[in-house]
mmCIF file of all heavy atoms in Angstrom:
data_model
loop_
_atom_site.group_PDB
_atom_site.id
_atom_site.type_symbol
_atom_site.label_atom_id
_atom_site.label_comp_id
_atom_site.label_asym_id
_atom_site.label_seq_id
_atom_site.Cartn_x
_atom_site.Cartn_y
_atom_site.Cartn_z
ATOM 1 N N ALA A 292 12.898 14.632 -23.003
ATOM 2 C CA ALA A 292 11.442 14.735 -23.169
ATOM 3 C C ALA A 292 10.821 14.054 -21.954
ATOM 4 O O ALA A 292 10.764 12.834 -21.875
ATOM 5 C CB ALA A 292 10.997 14.065 -24.465
ATOM 6 N N ASP A 293 10.351 14.853 -21.019
ATOM 7 C CA ASP A 293 10.014 14.338 -19.695
ATOM 8 C C ASP A 293 8.519 14.096 -19.507
ATOM 9 O O ASP A 293 8.089 12.992 -19.195
ATOM 10 C CB ASP A 293 10.532 15.329 -18.643
ATOM 11 C CG ASP A 293 10.181 14.929 -17.219
ATOM 12 O OD1 ASP A 293 9.805 13.764 -17.000
ATOM 13 O OD2 ASP A 293 10.296 15.785 -16.328
ATOM 14 N N ILE A 294 7.697 15.125 -19.711
ATOM 15 C CA ILE A 294 6.301 15.089 -19.294
ATOM 16 C C ILE A 294 5.372 14.695 -20.446
ATOM 17 O O ILE A 294 5.407 15.291 -21.520
ATOM 18 C CB ILE A 294 5.866 16.455 -18.727
ATOM 19 C CG1 ILE A 294 6.702 16.805 -17.486
ATOM 20 C CG2 ILE A 294 4.390 16.464 -18.398
ATOM 21 C CD1 ILE A 294 6.558 15.813 -16.345
ATOM 22 N N PHE A 295 4.518 13.689 -20.191
ATOM 23 C CA PHE A 295 3.508 13.250 -21.148
ATOM 24 C C PHE A 295 2.167 13.140 -20.417
ATOM 25 O O PHE A 295 2.120 13.029 -19.196
ATOM 26 C CB PHE A 295 3.893 11.911 -21.777
ATOM 27 C CG PHE A 295 5.063 12.025 -22.719
ATOM 28 C CD1 PHE A 295 6.367 12.003 -22.240
ATOM 29 C CD2 PHE A 295 4.864 12.180 -24.082
ATOM 30 C CE1 PHE A 295 7.449 12.136 -23.094
ATOM 31 C CE2 PHE A 295 5.932 12.305 -24.945
ATOM 32 C CZ PHE A 295 7.237 12.284 -24.459
ATOM 33 N N TYR A 296 1.095 13.158 -21.192
ATOM 34 C CA TYR A 296 -0.258 13.134 -20.625
ATOM 35 C C TYR A 296 -1.045 11.935 -21.140
ATOM 36 O O TYR A 296 -0.900 11.528 -22.297
ATOM 37 C CB TYR A 296 -1.028 14.405 -21.019
ATOM 38 C CG TYR A 296 -0.396 15.672 -20.527
ATOM 39 C CD1 TYR A 296 0.610 16.299 -21.261
ATOM 40 C CD2 TYR A 296 -0.784 16.244 -19.319
ATOM 41 C CE1 TYR A 296 1.196 17.471 -20.808
ATOM 42 C CE2 TYR A 296 -0.202 17.416 -18.860
ATOM 43 C CZ TYR A 296 0.795 18.019 -19.614
ATOM 44 O OH TYR A 296 1.376 19.168 -19.166
ATOM 45 N N ARG A 297 -1.873 11.407 -20.264
ATOM 46 C CA ARG A 297 -2.829 10.367 -20.647
ATOM 47 C C ARG A 297 -4.157 10.671 -19.940
ATOM 48 O O ARG A 297 -4.192 11.409 -18.951
ATOM 49 C CB ARG A 297 -2.335 8.962 -20.252
ATOM 50 C CG ARG A 297 -1.094 8.485 -21.017
ATOM 51 C CD ARG A 297 -1.392 8.235 -22.473
ATOM 52 N NE ARG A 297 -0.256 7.638 -23.172
ATOM 53 C CZ ARG A 297 0.669 8.314 -23.822
ATOM 54 N NH1 ARG A 297 0.613 9.644 -23.830
ATOM 55 N NH2 ARG A 297 1.647 7.695 -24.446
ATOM 56 N N TYR A 298 -5.248 10.076 -20.453
ATOM 57 C CA TYR A 298 -6.584 10.293 -19.900
ATOM 58 C C TYR A 298 -7.244 8.938 -19.676
ATOM 59 O O TYR A 298 -7.327 8.124 -20.601
ATOM 60 C CB TYR A 298 -7.419 11.161 -20.859
ATOM 61 C CG TYR A 298 -6.700 12.431 -21.236
ATOM 62 C CD1 TYR A 298 -5.958 12.513 -22.405
ATOM 63 C CD2 TYR A 298 -6.710 13.526 -20.377
ATOM 64 C CE1 TYR A 298 -5.252 13.671 -22.731
ATOM 65 C CE2 TYR A 298 -6.018 14.684 -20.686
ATOM 66 C CZ TYR A 298 -5.288 14.746 -21.867
ATOM 67 O OH TYR A 298 -4.590 15.889 -22.170
ATOM 68 N N ALA A 299 -7.683 8.698 -18.463
ATOM 69 C CA ALA A 299 -8.291 7.409 -18.121
ATOM 70 C C ALA A 299 -9.684 7.308 -18.739
ATOM 71 O O ALA A 299 -10.548 8.142 -18.472
ATOM 72 C CB ALA A 299 -8.368 7.253 -16.606
ATOM 73 N N THR A 300 -9.898 6.291 -19.576
ATOM 74 C CA THR A 300 -11.204 6.120 -20.234
ATOM 75 C C THR A 300 -12.174 5.295 -19.395
ATOM 76 O O THR A 300 -13.337 5.146 -19.737
ATOM 77 C CB THR A 300 -11.026 5.452 -21.604
ATOM 78 O OG1 THR A 300 -10.371 4.184 -21.423
ATOM 79 C CG2 THR A 300 -10.186 6.323 -22.531
ATOM 80 N N GLU A 301 -11.678 4.750 -18.291
ATOM 81 C CA GLU A 301 -12.509 4.026 -17.330
ATOM 82 C C GLU A 301 -11.761 4.004 -16.007
ATOM 83 O O GLU A 301 -10.609 4.469 -15.932
ATOM 84 C CB GLU A 301 -12.798 2.602 -17.819
ATOM 85 C CG GLU A 301 -11.540 1.761 -18.058
ATOM 86 C CD GLU A 301 -11.857 0.392 -18.639
ATOM 87 O OE1 GLU A 301 -12.065 0.291 -19.867
ATOM 88 O OE2 GLU A 301 -11.883 -0.577 -17.848
ATOM 89 N N ASP A 302 -12.378 3.507 -14.961
ATOM 90 C CA ASP A 302 -11.655 3.337 -13.700
ATOM 91 C C ASP A 302 -10.580 2.272 -13.907
ATOM 92 O O ASP A 302 -10.879 1.154 -14.347
ATOM 93 C CB ASP A 302 -12.603 2.886 -12.587
ATOM 94 C CG ASP A 302 -13.577 3.986 -12.170
ATOM 95 O OD1 ASP A 302 -13.402 5.131 -12.627
ATOM 96 O OD2 ASP A 302 -14.504 3.683 -11.393
ATOM 97 N N ILE A 303 -9.313 2.605 -13.590
ATOM 98 C CA ILE A 303 -8.204 1.692 -13.852
ATOM 99 C C ILE A 303 -7.350 1.558 -12.601
ATOM 100 O O ILE A 303 -6.951 2.560 -11.988
ATOM 101 C CB ILE A 303 -7.327 2.203 -15.021
ATOM 102 C CG1 ILE A 303 -8.185 2.461 -16.279
ATOM 103 C CG2 ILE A 303 -6.213 1.201 -15.336
ATOM 104 C CD1 ILE A 303 -7.435 3.198 -17.383
ATOM 105 N N GLU A 304 -7.051 0.319 -12.230
ATOM 106 C CA GLU A 304 -6.142 0.059 -11.113
ATOM 107 C C GLU A 304 -4.705 0.142 -11.629
ATOM 108 O O GLU A 304 -4.349 -0.510 -12.599
ATOM 109 C CB GLU A 304 -6.420 -1.318 -10.518
ATOM 110 C CG GLU A 304 -5.674 -1.599 -9.200
ATOM 111 C CD GLU A 304 -4.249 -2.103 -9.404
ATOM 112 O OE1 GLU A 304 -3.996 -2.776 -10.434
ATOM 113 O OE2 GLU A 304 -3.388 -1.825 -8.555
#
Side-chain angles (χ1 to χ4, degrees):
D293 177 16
I294 298 299
F295 290 84
Y296 299 86
R297 293 292 186 267
Y298 308 96
T300 58
E301 59 184 81
D302 290 351
I303 306 170
E304 189 276 329

